[in-house]
Amino acid sequence: MVEFINIGDVPSAEVNRLRERYEPLTESVRELIDATIRTEADDETVAQVKAQIDAATAALRARQIDGAFGVRVTSNGDRMPWGNPVIGVRNPIAPPLTILRGADDSGADDSVYADFELGAAYEGPPGHVHGGVAALILDHVLGEIAANADRPRFTGTITLRYLRPTPLGRLHAQARITEVDGHKAYAVGRLSDADGVTVEADGVFISPKWAR
């Protein structure tokens, strides 16, 4: 069973305060990842920066939780999936995506979409997005539309069609439900660049027994 961590009655102001504390740190580490990949600094500079990073890591580890961050839920139902690798406020490998709801470019009213940017940390073929990263993003976006707080659903199967390589840079992802059949929801989605669709996806998302 997947466990969601109930953190009780946390005022929205406190959630915002925590976000304001950790989000800038995450963004700085995200920039550090990009700089680490692309730097051509000399030996002395790299050694100096490594020592600074090691010291910063030790300072952060002085007080930390055991294990993964999980999904924390407040008493009013707000979820904090801050460790998520796609949308996580506290995960520097997340692009991150901000998922929005509304009409997509196909005219479907009940859809989700996100506009975001992928840089050097997500490269597979030179200058292009790694196929596994595209799959990660589409799996998450389809899951966002297939599930909700009242009816959690998890990926049963997902099929991807890579129409052409996805270039690094500004991208758009979207998804919508095509059918709901009992405990199953069927969703389709796609990843696009400025020139059109690069990856198509369809998936089956299933409500687990403990949530039925």
Side-chain angles (χ1 to χ4, degrees), residues 32-40 119-123:
L32 177 63
I33 291 171
D34 184 79
T36 300
I37 294 169
R38 299 197 289 133
T39 187
E40 295 187 340
Y122 307 97
E123 185 179 47

Side-chain angles (χ1 to χ4, degrees), residues 18 36 55 71 102-103 113 127 147-149 174 177-178 191 194 210-211:
L18 291 172
T36 300
V71 176
Y113 62 93
N148 55 53
Q174 64 186 58
I177 287 181
T178 58
L191 182 65
W210 56 263

